[in-house]
Amino acid sequence: MSGGLRSGQVAEAAGVNVQTLRYYERRGLLAEPDRSNGGHRLYGQEAVTALRVIKAAQRLGFTLEEVAELLEAGRHRHGRPVAGLQERAAAKLAEVDAKIADLTTIRTALATAVEAGCDDLTVCASSACCPIPFTDLAEENRHAGPCC
């Protein structure tokens, strides 16, 4: 094969480093490339596309294991839609929504602690009016007044 891309070229085109490229290859996310007469790895343009897909899926919250499953399912679809892709995307969306809800709760508690002037976690945590949910205090016992 004379027209393939070398490792560095593929990595640069996909926005990853060569170690990432090799790691994905070892994990089976990328097909093993052809070799030049001198033994250099030579990749096709599809390797750049595959790397971009992997990185995009990771940015969407999929783990490498989940990406591997999606890629494997795609390899066996033969032009048909991949069974379960919608389910996997919906499940990931539910995970993201749960994380957003958790982060919103955390943000609210931190903003309330800042507003209340909390300056000592130990003192604040032992106070019934602490806005940070260290314990399962009754909601009516929490308020944003300066008590800490």
Side-chain angles (χ1 to χ4, degrees), residues 90-137:
K92 190 56 65 179
L93 182 59
E95 284 179 34
V96 169
D97 287 341
K99 287 178 185 177
I100 289 171
D102 288 345
L103 288 172
T104 299
T105 300
I106 291 166
R107 188 194 187 293
T108 299
L110 289 172
T112 304
V114 168
E115 184 178 308
C118 294
D119 202 28
D120 184 323
L121 288 179
T122 304
V123 172
C124 189
S126 62
S127 171
C129 65
C130 177
I132 301 175
F134 290 111
T135 61
D136 294 326
L137 299 172

Side-chain angles (χ1 to χ4, degrees), residues 1-68:
M1 179 176 191
S2 61
L5 300 167
R6 304 259 311 250
S7 298
Q9 293 170 309
V10 171
E12 184 177 346
V16 300
N17 62 46
V18 174
Q19 290 80 16
T20 299
L21 171 67
R22 300 257 170 82
Y23 178 69
Y24 291 168
E25 195 177 307
R26 284 193 307 274
R27 292 272 317 248
L29 296 168
L30 292 174
E32 189 164 324
D34 292 328
R35 299 280 181 152
S36 70
N37 290 337
H40 296 285
R41 288 174 167 85
L42 296 174
Y43 298 86
Q45 186 62 38
E46 67 277 358
V48 175
T49 302
L51 285 168
R52 289 177 178 160
V53 167
I54 293 166
K55 296 312 286 180
Q58 284 183 300
R59 282 191 297 277
L60 291 173
F62 289 99
T63 65
L64 276 182
E65 186 65 34
E66 291 168 328
V67 172

